[in-house]
């Protein structure tokens, strides 16, 4: 397979043809829809659904820190399996899930799983009603050993390690309150006991959903998405996969999606995808954007732009600036675009502005 065919498959699998009528029908929601930046999840849905989009008023959805400790919307019915998939298989898995704070977890002198579940038990006792993140952090820090915390220069306070709090929270039966500012935590309705027993089948299902959405992909890419080590993914690697040669590299896809990969619909569409949209969350960035200079424009150290998807490829970037009731877009094309594509991009800008609640919008082209 060449990259164009792989991207055409992913565009269809991600629901970007707008054939779905409901959030529950979208594979990106069933896999967990990240909402780390302003309106990311809302705009990801606006790019996929034809009609009004609502997140905070949909009782079927729940927001929680799950994959990689990032906030994700899940269908309420899917959340229990998502949480079981996060139960560490062992200490190596728990340590890997701490990501940038692995040294801090190791410095506690305790087994990594013990650290996670001790923090989860404390969070469960603290969060019995809606509480701001700051109030939760203050209370739980007092209940935990000092080695679980650090001095935070930004907060000017000592509090629990950020990533530890995030990965322990779902095990505590705690969710995020959608739309709340500042960030607010609340107990999950009907939360059961603290589960410490790993569920390899649930972990395998997470990997399978990633390969379905963003395949063909490698074990290393799937591990990065799941927020754990490659060795952990090797132990929960799905069995029903087909191997595919993608421009000289062996990659994997659920066998039941092979026909869809071989015959994807034409990706003749234009979409404005927000930063951290599921489509650009695929870990093979060089496949998504082969040119290194353009990759630097799409994935920055801070402040990623949205991307312009046109005719099956990432064709540029976009940013916005709000002022009162008006939202101004700056679209930058990597290469000259036909007038018809520009017109469609401007129509998508109107959709984005409406989804964000702006009465007016304007579009400027920077390239």
């Amino acid at each position: 397979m060449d990259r164009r065919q792989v991207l055409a498959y992913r565009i269809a699998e991600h629901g970007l043809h707008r054939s779905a009528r409901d959030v529950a029908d979208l594979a990106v929601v069933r896999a967990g829809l990240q909402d780390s930046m302003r309106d990311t999840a809302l705009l990801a849905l606006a790019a996929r659904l034809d009609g009004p989009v609502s997140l905070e008023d949909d009782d079927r959805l729940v927001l929680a820190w799950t994959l990689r400790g990032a906030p994700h919307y899940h269908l309420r019915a899917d959340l229990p399996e998502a949480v079981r998939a996060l139960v560490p298989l062992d200490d190596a898995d728990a340590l890997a899930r701490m990501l940038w704070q692995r040294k801090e977890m190791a410095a506690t002198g305790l087994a990594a799983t013990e650290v996670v579940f001790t923090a989860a038990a404390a969070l469960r006792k603290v969060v019995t009603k809606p509480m701001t993140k700051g109030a939760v952090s203050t209370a739980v820090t007092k209940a935990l050993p000092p080695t679980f915390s650090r001095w935070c220069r930004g907060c000017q306070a000592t509090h629990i390690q950020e990533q530890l709090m995030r990965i322990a929270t779902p095990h505590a039966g705690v969710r995020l309150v959608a739309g709340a500012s500042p960030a607010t935590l609340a107990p999950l309705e009907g939360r059961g006991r603290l589960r410490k027993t790993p569920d390899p089948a649930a972990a395998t299902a997470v990997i399978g959903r990633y390969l379905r959405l963003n395949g063909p992909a490698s074990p290393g890419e799937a591990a990065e998405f799941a927020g754990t080590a490659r060795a952990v993914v090797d132990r929960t690697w799905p069995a029903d996969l087909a191997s595919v040669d993608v421009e000289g590299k062996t990659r994997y896809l659920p066998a039941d999606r092979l026909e869809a990969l071989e015959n994807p619909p034409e990706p003749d569409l234009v979409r404005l995808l927000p930063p951290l949209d599921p489509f650009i969350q695929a870990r093979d960035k060089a496949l998504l954007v082969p040119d290194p200079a353009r990759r630097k424009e799409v994935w920055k150290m801070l402040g990623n732009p949205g991307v312009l998807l046109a005719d099956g490829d990432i064709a540029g970037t976009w940013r916005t600036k709000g002022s009162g009731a008006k939202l101004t877009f700056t679209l930058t094309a990597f290469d000259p675009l036909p007038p018809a594509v520009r017109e469609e991009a401007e129509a998508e800008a109107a959709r984005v502005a409406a989804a964000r609640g702006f009465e007016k919008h304007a579009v400027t082209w920077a390239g």
Side-chain angles (χ1 to χ4, degrees):
M1 302 289 173
D2 62 28
R3 64 175 293 273
R4 296 279 304 183
Q5 187 160 356
V6 170
L7 295 186
Y9 163 80
R10 292 182 186 177
I11 286 168
E13 202 66 33
H14 276 252
L16 288 165
H17 287 275
R18 290 198 181 122
S19 58
R21 293 290 178 266
D22 187 77
V23 293
D25 298 328
L26 288 171
V28 293
V29 175
R30 302 302 300 268
L33 182 60
Q34 189 168 341
D35 196 40
S36 292
M37 297 180 68
R38 181 181 176 86
D39 295 326
T40 293
L42 178 71
L43 298 185
L45 292 181
R48 291 164 170 82
L49 295 175
D50 191 9
V53 176
S54 176
L55 282 167
E56 297 169 18
D57 298 329
D58 194 330
D59 291 338
R60 297 170 300 170
L61 297 172
V62 60
L63 184 65
W65 281 318
T66 54
L67 292 163
R68 304 176 303 283
H72 284 74
Y73 278 100
H74 295 266
L75 289 174
R76 197 173 294 274
D78 291 344
L79 185 61
E81 182 186 56
V83 174
R84 292 198 306 272
L86 297 172
V87 176
L89 298 183
D90 53 24
D91 288 333
D93 188 11
L95 191 62
R97 292 180 187 276
M98 276 291 285
L99 301 178
W100 75 93
Q101 290 189 323
R102 294 177 193 177
K103 289 183 179 179
E104 287 82 351
M105 179 178 277
T108 64
L110 301 173
T113 50
E114 182 179 351
V115 174
V116 171
F117 292 127
T118 299
L123 283 159
R124 178 177 288 261
K125 289 181 179 179
V126 166
V127 184
T128 58
K129 62 182 180 179
M131 301 171 62
T132 65
K133 179 187 174 187
V136 173
S137 179
T138 298
V140 80
T141 298
K142 294 177 180 178
L144 292 172
T147 53
F148 287 34
S149 306
R150 70 180 180 91
W151 169 256
C152 176
R153 184 180 300 174
C155 299
Q156 289 294 294
T158 297
H159 59 67
I160 181 175
Q161 299 286 354
E162 175 70 17
Q163 183 66 355
L164 174 58
M165 183 173 179
R166 287 172 175 251
I167 64 175
T169 295
H171 303 304
V174 173
R175 64 178 174 87
L176 293 163
V177 177
S181 181
T184 301
L185 285 73
L188 276 165
E189 297 77 1
R191 61 182 179 181
R193 295 173 130 189
L194 174 59
R195 179 190 175 97
K196 299 182 180 181
T197 304
D199 188 341
T204 297
V206 168
I207 302 303
R209 283 191 287 271
Y210 176 78
L211 296 174
R212 176 189 177 96
L213 273 174
N214 294 310
S218 71
E221 290 158 1
E224 187 178 344
F225 174 80
T228 189
R230 161 69 189 271
V232 174
V233 167
D234 286 343
R235 293 161 57 190
T236 56
W237 192 239
D240 54 342
L241 301 179
S243 60
V244 181
D245 184 294
V246 179
E247 299 194 343
K249 297 180 180 179
T250 301
R251 296 292 183 260
Y252 301 91
L253 184 81
D256 64 356
R257 304 309 300 157
L258 189 57
E259 183 177 351
L261 174 65
E262 292 172 339
N263 300 284
E266 287 296 324
D268 50 353
L269 50 83
V270 176
R271 299 288 183 266
L272 295 185
L273 305 182
L276 298 177
D277 184 271
F279 186 78
I280 52 176
Q281 283 278 36
R283 270 29 195 184
D284 49 358
K285 295 177 181 178
L287 184 78
L288 289 173
V289 182
D291 183 86
R294 292 178 176 179
R295 281 202 298 277
K296 290 181 180 179
E297 292 302 312
V298 172
W299 292 283
K300 293 181 173 292
M301 291 295 293
L302 293 171
N304 286 345
V307 301
L308 168 61
L309 185 67
D311 295 332
D313 218 337
I314 292 177
T317 62
W318 61 277
R319 294 185 180 276
T320 59
K321 184 176 182 180
S323 178
K326 185 177 182 180
L327 186 64
T328 300
F329 291 76
T330 300
L331 276 66
T332 304
F334 290 148
D335 295 306
L337 298 173
V341 171
R342 288 197 173 213
E343 289 179 10
E344 289 187 60
E346 291 172 12
E348 290 299 307
R351 175 184 288 269
V352 168
R356 289 188 56 186
F358 284 87
E359 297 175 4
K360 302 176 183 179
H361 77 284
V363 176
T364 299
W365 287 90

